Amino acid sequence: MRKYTKGMQISKHFHELVPGGSHTYSKGNDQFPQMSPQIITHADGAYCWDVDGNQYIDWAMGNRVFILGHNNKVVNDAVKKAIDNSTNYTRPGILEYEVAQFAVDFFPVAEMVKFGKNGSDVTTAAVKLSRAYTNRTHVAVCKQHPFFSIHDWFIGSTNMNAGVIESERQYTIGFDYNDIEGVKKMFDQYHNKIACLILEPVKNDHPCNYDKDETCKEQCEKGICAKGKKNFLTELRDICTKNGTILIFDEMISGIRFDIRGAHHLWGVYPDLATYGKCISNGFSFSMLAGKRDILNLGGIMHDRERVFLLSQTHGSETVGLAAALATLKECERVNVNEHIWNLGGQLRKGFEQLIKEEGVGKYIKLIGFDCNPHILCTKENGTYWPELHTSFHEEVIDQGILIPWISITYAHTNLELDITLQALREGLRKIKKSVEMENIEDSFVGEAVKPVFRPFNKCKQGRCGRIYTDVEKLSCCK
Ligand SMILES: Cc1ncc(COP(=O)(O)O)c(C=O)c1O
């Protein structure tokens, strides 16, 4: 097995310096097998290296922040050129203006734009604008979409909500993806109270109204989903318009990946506000709120309505992120990044599904989601997520040199990396097959199994804690 000696030493000390030993929970020790790279030193293209000198094919790409691959020359050159002119000015910079004009021309959803540095900046700004515009209190979030913001309006609705006051929590309500009847009931229950609905336009499922519309189902299953037809997204659009509620599509993950202009553009359903971040600037810090002029303009200084404090940030106009975003979008269009990503993802799906069939482990592992954004899911036979199996599988795959906790295909991934990855995935499948047969999954990896980020106590193995909730299955950690 690979050695992680130096990484483990650093990681141990890191926890004494920084809570969580990381600046992002999803990169933490409780999210990966113990035998995995602890600290990364550098990355290039589709590869990264850890402090112990191990090399990996990196399918995770940070928190999905790359679309062209690590260390992309075109983007890096644009950034280097920008910083030679200094990075922040006393009045708005010319690049702020140029990127804004480019974005308004490029994204059909964008009548106006406002820039930030993180995804949470712009989702929270979208929520605030919606509340101000509608003069309403409630925010409806899609329950199947795990993350929208680090800020209290969202964190208050999770299982890790210590420090968020009750008055903040009560205004965030949930709805289920593809359950249009449930959405209608929610609008009845909270009549004239819902300021906005926020969701990723697509995640792992087609936006289909399967029960009600057979034609839509057929189309979806052929993969040419419902453009112009009534599907979940078009229904949401109608309901929001009818109720005077702002529809927000969070395009942080789906954004450039499904379609360079946003997944909603692929489906032809346009929200009032859309939020972009992550890979839009290929690894640099930049985010964008785009949408209707009437709403965004509340943050401006040329109207007579009550003023909204919309994203005024010291570093909002820093040129690094702006230059990176402009170069990334232009490069993505030039190389037709979407074609590459959908194709390679399709091959990954075909190859992995074939391996699963050959190894006979289809009851325990599958690839869910769209070809451009697939996800490996380890489950028990009853279909529920199996963290021990996930840990065991990934420990083996990592040992084979593949980092694939989530999948963020980039232009830098090619058939070469795909072939090497499929060989490693086969070894992972063989390992879990053996362990399932021997009924020793729990003992088939070093250390503890991965845990959910959103859990009330560090000891919890599940998100809802059996110490707090009486209706929850009691595990050993609940005592
Ligand atoms: C869908 C979605 N929205 C918003 C965010 C928040 O983005 P950031 O971490 O840049 O604040 C994330 C981050 O993972 C996300 O996945």
Side-chain angles (χ1 to χ4, degrees):
M1 199 169 259
R2 287 173 180 232
K3 296 269 182 293
Y4 305 102
T5 323
K6 195 169 171 195
M8 282 176 178
Q9 274 166 8
I10 294 176
S11 176
K12 193 164 170 234
H13 188 219
F14 206 172
H15 283 265
E16 287 165 26
L17 305 174
V18 170
S22 157
H23 285 85
T24 317
Y25 281 119
S26 55
K27 297 182 184 178
N29 288 5
D30 53 1
Q31 302 303 301
F32 285 81
Q34 187 173 313
M35 300 309 281
S36 64
Q38 306 287 310
I39 306 285
I40 306 291
T41 51
H42 61 294
D44 190 41
Y47 295 83
C48 68
W49 289 263
D50 69 13
V51 279
D52 286 281
N54 297 304
Q55 174 182 305
Y56 305 89
I57 296 177
D58 181 10
W59 291 92
M61 292 278 141
N63 281 81
R64 305 173 192 269
V65 292
F66 294 92
I67 189 87
L68 295 166
H70 288 287
N71 210 12
N72 178 268
K73 184 164 168 27
V74 172
V75 180
N76 285 8
D77 282 351
V79 167
K80 286 174 192 162
K81 196 168 158 218
I83 62 178
D84 278 345
N85 291 325
S86 188
T87 50
N88 211 325
Y89 313 118
T90 312
R91 303 277 331 258
I94 184 70
L95 204 51
E96 263 173 277
Y97 165 74
E98 286 170 0
V99 179
Q101 183 64 64
F102 179 86
V104 167
D105 293 342
F106 189 81
F107 292 96
V109 71
E111 289 174 11
M112 285 185 107
V113 289
K114 183 93 183 184
F115 303 140
K117 285 290 171 198
N118 294 290
S120 302
D121 297 345
V122 286
T123 50
T124 297
V127 165
K128 181 189 271 188
L129 269 182
S130 303
R131 283 177 161 155
Y133 187 80
T134 59
N135 203 15
R136 295 177 184 173
T137 45
H138 286 63
V139 177
V141 301
C142 180
K143 287 194 247 170
Q144 284 71 37
H145 298 168
F147 196 65
F148 291 106
S149 175
I150 61 165
H151 298 125
D152 286 359
W153 66 268
F154 176 70
I155 295 301
S157 72
T158 71
N159 288 320
M160 194 178 165
N161 56 16
V164 182
I165 54 175
E166 180 58 32
S167 57
E168 182 81 37
R169 290 183 205 169
Q170 65 188 333
Y171 297 113
T172 302
I173 53 178
F175 66 92
D176 291 304
Y177 197 79
N178 273 345
D179 176 14
I180 204 65
E181 292 311 318
V183 170
K184 285 179 186 162
K185 277 194 202 129
M186 179 179 75
F187 271 99
D188 288 343
Q189 191 182 347
Y190 295 94
H191 186 62
N192 278 347
K193 286 190 178 149
I194 305 177
C196 59
L197 256 60
I198 181 164
L199 68 153
E200 299 180 58
V202 278
K203 194 159 189 73
N204 297 321
D205 300 313
H206 284 271
C208 243
N209 204 340
Y210 269 41
D211 298 338
K212 278 176 57 191
D213 190 340
E214 277 301 312
T215 343
C216 180
K217 180 179 173 183
E218 274 167 32
Q219 284 207 354
C220 272
E221 283 171 357
K222 280 190 214 144
I224 41 164
C225 195
K227 205 164 187 169
K229 278 191 77 68
K230 282 254 165 196
N231 60 25
F232 182 64
L233 297 181
T234 37
E235 295 239 38
L236 277 191
R237 178 62 283 176
D238 289 353
I239 291 174
C240 285
T241 306
K242 200 173 114 209
N243 286 278
T245 293
I246 306 297
L247 180 60
I248 306 168
F249 284 160
D250 181 341
E251 292 272 11
M252 225 62 69
I253 293 174
S254 55
I256 316 305
R257 192 162 301 285
F258 278 74
D259 185 286
I260 191 172
R261 288 175 172 80
H264 68 268
H265 183 63
L266 200 58
W267 268 271
V269 183
Y270 293 88
D272 300 298
L273 298 172
T275 57
Y276 296 80
K278 291 200 187 270
C279 73
I280 192 172
S281 41
N282 206 55
F284 292 92
S285 177
F286 175 84
S287 61
M288 179 177 81
L289 171 62
K292 295 208 169 128
R293 177 180 305 281
D294 202 28
I295 306 171
L296 270 151
N297 214 14
L298 286 182
I301 58 172
M302 302 212 179
H303 62 82
D304 266 343
R305 292 185 63 178
E306 200 173 353
R307 278 156 60 74
V308 174
F309 192 89
L310 179 66
L311 275 180
S312 171
Q313 296 178 302
T314 300
H315 292 293
S317 51
E318 185 227 43
T319 55
V320 169
L322 294 164
L326 188 60
T328 302
L329 288 169
K330 286 183 176 170
E331 185 66 357
C332 283
E333 189 168 49
R334 190 186 72 80
V335 301
N336 194 353
V337 82
N338 294 128
E339 190 178 52
H340 177 81
I341 288 173
W342 279 92
N343 278 343
L344 204 68
Q347 288 179 55
L348 172 64
R349 173 184 304 285
K350 240 165 97 192
F352 193 38
E353 283 175 353
Q354 180 61 29
L355 293 179
I356 290 172
K357 208 162 136 197
E358 283 170 22
E359 299 302 328
V361 285
K363 277 190 228 158
Y364 305 106
I365 190 162
K366 52 179 160 301
L367 203 69
I368 59 167
F370 291 81
D371 287 355
C372 69
N373 190 37
H375 185 73
I376 298 171
L377 183 64
C378 295
T379 63
K380 296 187 176 156
E381 273 186 55
N382 67 8
T384 55
Y385 172 58
W386 195 354
E388 288 78 11
L389 193 80
H390 172 102
T391 312
S392 183
F393 175 75
H394 283 279
E395 182 191 78
E396 178 61 33
V397 174
I398 288 169
D399 197 43
Q400 302 284 327
I402 308 297
L403 210 46
I404 194 165
W406 52 87
I407 304 174
S408 194
I409 302 165
T410 72
Y411 196 65
H413 292 97
T414 67
N415 284 332
L416 172 68
E417 285 76 33
L418 181 64
D419 290 346
I420 301 169
T421 300
L422 287 171
Q423 285 172 31
L425 292 173
R426 186 191 283 283
E427 295 307 317
L429 297 180
R430 286 186 173 159
K431 177 184 175 192
I432 58 167
K433 182 180 183 183
K434 214 163 116 193
S435 298
V436 168
E437 279 168 6
M438 291 171 67
E439 297 183 1
N440 75 343
I441 280 289
E442 314 258 333
D443 302 320
S444 65
F445 53 91
V446 179
E448 289 187 45
V450 298
K451 293 176 174 172
V453 166
F454 290 110
R455 60 190 199 277
F457 298 100
N458 282 319
K459 217 172 90 174
C460 294
K461 291 182 180 169
Q462 56 195 346
R464 291 192 85 227
C465 171
R467 278 190 276 177
I468 297 180
Y469 300 100
T470 49
D471 62 320
V472 173
E473 187 197 355
K474 299 272 180 282
L475 304 180
S476 57
C477 55
C478 300
K479 297 188 184 100

